């Protein structure tokens, strides 16, 4: 019976009802120890779900990779065979059901989502996870990733966690507070003296566990504890109960508290006792024994047992547990118990922990590997071994996404070993970690120093130094390019030429190399004006990442794909690519790409004339930054806001935003060159062209250096705007150009012709511009072209707005799925390609059909979805 929890019970019922209707979700129950979170989970387990999965964090398993997921998902692991191959392989390796291999950590999250969705095919699935604050990092990351994507699934996920100990941004939360006075009074046992009863009710503050346990330790003469934390009072109460148990029982409890996995056989062997010795603890309701599993009634009982024992006894029990763990698959636990029993340096234990770390790393448990390497370093006798293991801890912390820990480990490693080559490796790791924290100055200094310390890896360090140098601007970028120019490396030569001279042919993609080795080429392809080549490379790499399960790299590549599609005038395609990349980046904790992709969305919204969406996306782009660091997407966001102003007839507001992009640290960015035509148009329309000459010269130099016809067309358009020379307009229209930019040239030329009183000449040019703007959904420019046509005397009825294309009625994700379905791919094939579940694919198709005016999948092939 639960008292006073009607509101929490209602929320849990609503969550399961939503899952039953195919629109599941997640909920975090948050509250202090003993407040009743576990009781609510126990109650929820009795609700009418087709399948209830239970798991939880265990404090001593927080450094064992996949421990939490393995416990939760064990009943549905037979369904692994139904998952797409990369996800199936990632989970099978993680759970020891297949070859171990380093899998993308986002791929594990996608695999968990797919497995839960597959299980929900038989009815609603309810997942209950207790003590989430003690989940191992890879389990927590995967569950949170899946939790944010359950909207189209028949899955309800409830995570119970203590206050302030489990971050779950973006998930709804229910705070479980103390019981109301009347409900609290019902929990306190009868027979207490009135004064004791009043004191218990006051001290418990509505905490159910305290209301039940404190009376057992209470007496009329007991003094109140006004300054003691309630959790400390409860531990003291449990300690008193434990102290009254027989010594053999206390020995078993200490072994159980030190092991904390509930493996009764191991606990009894380590304690040298029998199950009969547990009876007093069961009778005192301190533990529960079911089959071969032992469970403490509450984590505070375990804390009372473990921390109440003398240090020497704790050391001895960990040593005994290590000896008792002899079965297959026990090596990790055995190593950690040996480490807990160590009272000083022990190279044998350090080596065992290093083996544990290596195995965790091979299964993508990078957080667990970092913890094991760090503890191994602490137990190492020789400083070089300490340094080496701390560097390994730093490398794995970086892979786990914990950049702050990576810096901490790297700095300690550097203080222990002064070998230049070793310091070069440390600098490379620490520089990368500072970069991902947004401290570009520290990152650049460390990476360039690493290049000088370790000649064998200088190229790699310098190529990575380009990243922070790019955001710092001059003189850092120039210094980095000078050093890159001296390397005998095709990628380095290409990057230098892309910025400083006529671009070289883009190096060919080598299928044998990691896709990460080619990502930089995409960005520098746009710097070189080789948009088509950059697009082709980014798309090919994205295809490889889908096939190989490298989900974490997709946001980077999809940004480049979206950038190319935007430049090519394929605005709907760009929206599809940016939406997919943003969803993965947001779920995977990649603020740099959340910023960049949000800024692309802001640019597309500006072109469509959606002021609210443009400003919202730009704000998101600027907010996704590390403290004290500029957002990676700031330059794109400023361009988007300037385009919004230009399209809405506010050129005087656009000019300062665009001028700022011509200065450091943004002058070398892709958008700094691509926005110059907008700057010149805004300046001409605002009547303030005095400051644009340097920018116009930069555009001419860019066009000459890259040799691209579309860039030269923009040069002619800008000359025409600044000089009023019709010949320049004609030259611009003769050269190849992207659809949107060509239409803008036609609009500007048509406006010039109308002002020159050549209305008949203006009409066909303006009509061509209007047709293109309508096709692209560029509403502000369509409105401007339509107004110009009307001003030429063309009747309004002869230039009606174009019918909205079918693709424009869909969300980016609906459009992406509909296109793939139109190609004949099954829901399962689409799900594998987009890292979704088949049910989510079906849900989006169901929403797309009425918008497209079709009733079945077979009808999609006949539609134009471009």
């Amino acid at each position: 019976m639960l008292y006073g929890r009607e509101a929490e019970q209602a929320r849990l019922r609503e969550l399961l009802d939503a899952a039953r209707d195919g629109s599941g979700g997640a909920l975090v129950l948050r509250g202090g120890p003993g407040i009743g979170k576990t009781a609510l989970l126990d109650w929820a387990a009795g609700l009418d779900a087709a399948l209830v999965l239970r798991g939880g964090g265990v404090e001593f398993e927080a450094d064992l990779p996949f421990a939490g997921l393995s416990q939760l998902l064990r009943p549905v692991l037979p369904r692994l065979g139904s998952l797409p191959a990369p996800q199936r392989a990632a989970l099978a390796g993680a759970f020891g059901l297949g070859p171990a291999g380093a899998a993308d950590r986002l791929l594990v999250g996608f695999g968990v989502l797919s497995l839960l969705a597959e299980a929900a095919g038989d009815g609603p699935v309810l997942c209950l996870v207790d003590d989430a604050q003690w989940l191992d990092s890879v389990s927590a990351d995967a569950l949170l990733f899946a939790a944010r994507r359950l909207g189209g699934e028949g899955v309800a996920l409830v995570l119970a966690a203590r206050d302030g100990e489990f971050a779950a941004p973006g998930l709804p939360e229910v705070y479980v507070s103390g019981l109301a006075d009347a409900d609290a009074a019902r929990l306190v046992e009868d027979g207490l003296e009135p004064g004791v009863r009043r004191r218990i009710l006051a001290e418990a503050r509505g905490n159910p566990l305290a209301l039940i346990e404190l009376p057992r330790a209470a007496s009329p003469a007991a003094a109140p504890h006004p300054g003691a934390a309630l959790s400390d009072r409860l531990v003291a109460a449990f300690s008193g109960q434990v102290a009254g148990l027989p010594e053999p029982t206390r020995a078993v409890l200490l072994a159980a508290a030190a092991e904390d996995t509930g493996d009764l056989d191991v606990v009894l062997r380590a304690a040298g006792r029998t199950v009969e010795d547990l009876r007093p603890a069961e009778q005192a309701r301190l533990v529960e024994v079911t089959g071969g599993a032992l469970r403490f009634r509450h984590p505070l009982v375990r804390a009372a047992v473990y921390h109440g024992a003398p240090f020497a006894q704790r050391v001895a029990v960990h040593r005994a547990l290590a000896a008792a763990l002899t079965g297959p698959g026990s090596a990790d636990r055995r190593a950690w118990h040996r480490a807990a029993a160590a009272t000083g340096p022990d190279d044998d234990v350090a080596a065992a922990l290093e083996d544990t770390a290596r195995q965790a790393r091979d299964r993508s448990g990078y957080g667990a590997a970092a913890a094991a390497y760090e503890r191994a370093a602490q137990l190492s006798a020789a400083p070089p071994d300490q340094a080496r293991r701390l560097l390994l801890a730093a490398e794995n912390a970086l892979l786990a996404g914990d950049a702050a820990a990576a810096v901490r480990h790297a700095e300690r490693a550097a203080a222990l070993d002064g070998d230049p080559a070793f310091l070069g490796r440390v600098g490379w790791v620490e520089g990368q970690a500072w970069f991902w924290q947004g401290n570009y100055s520290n990152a650049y200094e460390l990476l360039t120093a690493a290049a000088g310390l370790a000649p064998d890896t200088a190229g790699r360090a310098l190529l990575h130094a380009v990243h922070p140098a790019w955001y710092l601007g001059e003189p850092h970028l120039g210094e980095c390019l000078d050093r890159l120019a001296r390397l005998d490396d095709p990628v380095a030569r290409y990057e230098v030429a892309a910025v400083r001279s006529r671009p070289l042919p883009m190096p060919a993609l080598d299928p044998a190399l990691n896709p990460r080795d080619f990502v930089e080429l995409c960005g520098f392809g746009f710097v070189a004006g080789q948009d088509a080549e950059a697009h082709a490379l980014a798309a090919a790499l994205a295809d490889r990442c889908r096939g190989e399960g490298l989900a974490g790299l997709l946001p980077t590549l999809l940004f480049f794909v979206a950038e190319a599609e935007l430049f090519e005038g394929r605005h709907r395609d760009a929206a599809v690519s940016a939406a997919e990349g943003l969803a993965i980046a947001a779920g995977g904790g990649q603020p740099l790409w959340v910023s960049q992709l949000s800024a692309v969305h802001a640019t597309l919204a500006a072109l469509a004339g959606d002021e609210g969406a443009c400003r919202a996306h730009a704000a998101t782009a600027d907010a996704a930054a590390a403290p004290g660091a500029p957002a990676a997407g700031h330059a794109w966001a400023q361009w988007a806001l300037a385009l919004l102003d230009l399209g809405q007839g506010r050129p005087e507001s656009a000019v300062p935003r665009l001028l700022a992009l011509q200065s450091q640290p943004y002058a070398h960015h892709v958008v700094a060159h691509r926005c110059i035509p907008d700057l010149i148009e805004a300046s001409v329309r605002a009547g303030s062209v005095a400051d644009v000459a340097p920018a116009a010269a930069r555009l001419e130099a860019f066009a000459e250096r890259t040799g691209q016809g579309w860039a030269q067309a923009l040069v002619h358009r800008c000359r025409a705007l600044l000089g009023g020379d019709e010949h320049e307009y004609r030259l611009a229209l003769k050269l190849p150009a992207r659809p949107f930019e060509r239409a803008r040239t036609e609009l500007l030329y048509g406006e010039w012709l109308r002002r020159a009183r050549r209305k008949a000449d203006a009409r066909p040019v303006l009509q061509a511009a209007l047709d293109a703007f309508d096709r692209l959904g560029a509403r502000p420019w369509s409105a401007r072209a339509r107004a110009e046509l009307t001003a030429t005397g063309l009747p309004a009825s002869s230039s009606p707005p174009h019918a909205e294309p079918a693709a424009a009625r869909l969300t980016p994700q609906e459009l992406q799925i509909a296109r793939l379905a139109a190609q004949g791919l099954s829901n399962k094939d689409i799900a594998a390609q987009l890292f979704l579940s088949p049910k989510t694919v079906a849900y989006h198709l169901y929403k797309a059909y009425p918008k497209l005016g079709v009733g079945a999948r077979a009808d999609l092939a006949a539609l134009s979805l471009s």
Side-chain angles (χ1 to χ4, degrees):
M1 175 66 70
L2 293 182
Y3 297 126
R5 296 302 188 204
E6 293 80 9
E8 292 88 346
Q9 289 169 304
R11 286 292 301 273
L12 292 169
R13 283 196 196 93
E14 290 171 5
L15 185 67
L16 183 58
D17 288 343
R20 187 174 289 108
D21 293 337
S23 54
L27 182 69
V28 178
L29 295 178
R30 202 176 284 286
I35 203 66
K37 303 183 297 295
T38 301
L40 281 166
L41 295 183
D42 290 341
W43 174 85
L47 294 174
D48 185 23
L51 176 64
V52 176
L53 300 175
R54 297 204 68 166
V58 177
E59 189 171 11
F60 284 173
E61 289 190 344
D63 293 323
L64 297 179
F66 299 101
L69 274 182
S70 179
Q71 182 188 30
L72 178 71
L73 299 178
R74 189 174 294 116
V76 294
L77 289 181
R79 296 177 179 264
L80 274 179
S82 63
L83 269 57
Q87 297 177 32
R88 180 174 66 247
L91 290 188
F95 297 138
L97 302 175
D104 187 291
R105 64 191 182 101
L106 293 187
L107 186 64
V108 174
F110 281 121
V112 171
L113 175 64
S114 296
L115 190 59
L116 292 175
E118 177 68 24
D122 299 332
V125 173
L126 178 61
C127 301
L128 304 172
V129 180
D130 206 357
D131 290 318
Q133 73 276 358
W134 289 328
L135 287 170
D136 59 282
S137 60
V138 70
S139 292
D141 288 347
L143 284 173
L144 288 173
F145 186 88
R148 298 185 183 101
R149 287 163 174 76
L150 293 175
E153 311 297 344
V155 180
L157 172 61
V158 184
L159 298 146
R162 291 186 182 178
D163 285 342
E165 295 186 37
F166 179 70
L171 295 186
E173 297 192 358
V174 168
Y175 185 78
V176 184
S177 56
L179 296 174
D181 290 347
D183 293 313
R186 298 166 72 185
L187 273 182
V188 178
E189 64 186 47
D190 295 330
L192 292 176
E193 291 190 6
V196 174
R197 184 181 182 84
R198 285 194 298 272
R199 191 179 79 238
I200 295 297
L201 286 169
E203 290 184 0
R205 297 191 292 276
N207 184 292
L209 185 66
L211 290 165
I212 293 170
E213 296 300 333
L214 291 183
R216 300 180 183 182
S219 69
H225 299 74
L230 185 57
S231 59
D232 293 339
R233 291 273 288 115
L234 285 167
V235 169
F238 288 130
S239 295
Q241 295 181 55
V242 171
L245 296 172
E247 190 281 330
T249 303
R250 295 199 306 272
V252 177
L253 290 182
L254 179 57
E259 171 59 8
D260 204 23
T261 62
D263 190 329
L264 185 58
D265 178 62
V266 170
V267 166
L268 292 175
R269 281 192 285 118
R273 305 292 178 176
T274 70
V275 72
E276 291 302 318
D277 293 314
L278 265 178
R279 300 298 180 216
E282 289 184 275
Q283 291 165 1
R285 296 196 303 160
L286 295 173
V287 297
E288 299 171 355
V289 178
T290 305
L294 181 153
R295 176 188 174 194
F296 283 100
R297 182 182 168 203
H298 192 275
L300 290 180
V301 179
R302 190 204 69 80
V305 171
Y306 187 78
H307 296 292
F311 175 72
Q313 288 185 17
R314 297 202 301 268
V315 169
V317 81
H318 279 295
R319 190 173 290 125
L321 284 163
L325 287 163
T326 57
S330 299
D332 290 351
R333 290 159 65 194
R334 183 167 58 250
W336 278 107
H337 280 300
R338 291 179 66 192
T343 57
D346 188 321
D347 286 330
D348 288 341
V349 176
L353 272 178
E354 186 167 353
D355 286 341
T356 290
R358 192 178 301 112
Q359 292 174 33
R361 181 197 62 201
D362 290 344
R363 296 164 59 202
S364 307
Y366 301 116
Y373 279 126
E374 181 184 20
R375 182 62 176 137
Q378 293 168 355
L379 294 174
S380 302
D385 288 335
Q386 295 174 25
R388 179 178 59 81
R389 286 164 174 155
L390 282 169
L391 175 55
L392 290 167
E395 290 173 349
N396 282 271
L398 185 61
L399 289 169
D402 191 348
V407 167
R408 186 171 65 251
H409 298 323
E411 289 178 341
R412 290 171 58 200
L416 290 166
D417 191 335
D419 176 70
F422 179 80
L423 291 176
R425 284 184 60 199
V426 172
W428 184 85
V429 174
E430 189 180 353
Q432 291 280 85
W434 279 120
F435 175 79
W436 288 113
Q437 291 181 89
N439 191 323
Y440 304 134
S441 181
N442 276 8
Y444 178 77
E445 180 180 340
L446 284 159
L447 288 167
T448 51
L453 290 168
D456 291 346
T457 58
R460 181 178 72 157
L462 284 175
L463 286 169
H464 279 89
V466 172
H467 294 168
W470 191 258
Y471 292 106
L472 290 169
E474 297 296 349
H476 303 83
L477 181 62
E479 294 169 355
C480 191
L481 292 174
D482 286 343
R483 295 181 66 177
L484 279 175
R486 294 193 288 270
L487 294 179
D488 184 18
D489 181 277
V491 173
R493 287 196 298 271
Y494 179 81
E495 292 182 1
V496 173
V499 177
R500 290 183 164 175
S501 62
R502 187 171 291 276
L504 300 170
M506 183 174 286
L509 176 61
D510 185 347
L513 295 180
N514 191 310
R516 297 179 188 277
D517 296 330
F518 289 88
V519 169
E520 285 183 18
L521 291 177
C522 300
F524 277 91
F526 294 113
V527 175
Q530 296 174 333
D531 296 6
E533 294 89 338
H535 186 191
L537 177 61
L541 290 172
D543 287 344
R544 272 191 62 182
C545 287
R546 295 186 200 283
E548 297 174 17
L550 299 175
L553 196 55
L554 272 175
T556 310
L557 295 168
L558 289 171
F559 167 74
F560 292 133
V561 170
E563 183 176 13
E565 289 166 340
L566 172 60
F567 291 156
E568 293 166 4
R570 295 163 52 188
H571 297 175
R572 272 186 287 276
D573 293 343
V576 167
S577 299
E580 183 187 0
L582 182 58
I584 298 173
Q590 299 184 15
L592 188 153
W593 297 111
V594 168
S595 179
Q596 294 277 42
L597 289 157
S598 295
V600 172
H601 275 301
T603 306
L604 292 166
L607 296 175
D610 189 339
E611 182 154 4
C614 176
R615 295 192 181 281
H617 286 306
T620 300
D622 278 332
H634 178 72
W636 269 89
Q638 289 301 300
W639 187 23
L641 293 169
L643 281 170
L644 178 70
D645 287 333
L646 187 57
Q648 300 294 332
R650 303 187 293 262
E652 64 286 344
S653 297
V655 170
R657 295 186 190 276
L658 296 169
L659 273 176
L661 296 179
Q662 304 306 308
S663 305
Q664 292 298 331
Y666 305 112
H668 56 281
H669 284 216
V670 173
V671 296
H673 287 97
R674 306 300 172 105
C675 78
I676 291 174
D678 306 313
L679 169 61
I680 290 174
E681 180 182 342
S683 299
V684 169
R685 293 178 66 189
S688 57
V689 298
D691 297 327
V692 301
R698 292 184 70 227
L699 179 63
E700 296 208 14
F702 173 78
E704 196 281 328
R705 179 170 61 82
T706 62
Q708 297 290 341
W710 55 264
Q712 190 60 47
L714 293 173
V715 168
H716 288 302
R717 185 174 90 197
C718 291
R719 288 175 180 169
L721 276 168
L722 291 169
D725 186 345
E726 180 180 7
H727 180 63
E728 295 291 346
Y729 279 123
R730 290 183 175 277
L731 288 175
L733 292 173
K734 287 181 180 179
L735 289 169
R738 279 75 182 272
F740 182 64
E741 296 301 338
R742 182 177 183 83
R744 288 182 65 181
T745 301
E746 289 168 335
L747 173 59
L748 291 166
Y749 183 33
E751 289 173 336
W752 185 90
L753 288 169
R754 186 186 64 79
R755 288 194 301 271
R757 302 180 184 276
R758 293 165 55 186
K759 296 181 179 181
D761 292 335
R763 286 170 188 155
V765 181
L766 291 169
Q767 186 67 60
L770 175 59
D771 291 344
F773 291 140
D774 280 348
R775 283 193 301 272
L776 292 166
R779 288 186 289 272
W781 281 267
S782 288
R784 188 168 138 198
R786 190 168 284 107
E788 286 292 329
L789 267 176
T790 302
T792 66
L794 189 70
S797 59
S798 65
S799 57
H802 284 62
E804 183 181 54
R809 303 170 207 148
L810 305 181
T811 67
Q813 191 166 45
E814 289 168 358
L815 177 56
Q816 187 177 29
I817 290 171
R819 284 173 170 174
L820 293 171
Q823 295 171 20
L825 274 68
S826 68
N827 285 2
K828 189 171 183 179
D829 292 337
I830 297 171
Q833 183 166 329
L834 301 184
F835 297 103
L836 301 171
S837 74
K839 190 170 182 180
T840 297
V841 172
Y843 170 76
H844 285 294
L845 283 175
Y846 176 78
K847 289 175 61 182
Y849 289 160
K851 296 180 183 180
L852 295 172
V854 300
R857 187 188 210 93
D859 300 330
L860 293 173
L863 298 178
S864 173
L865 296 175
S866 60

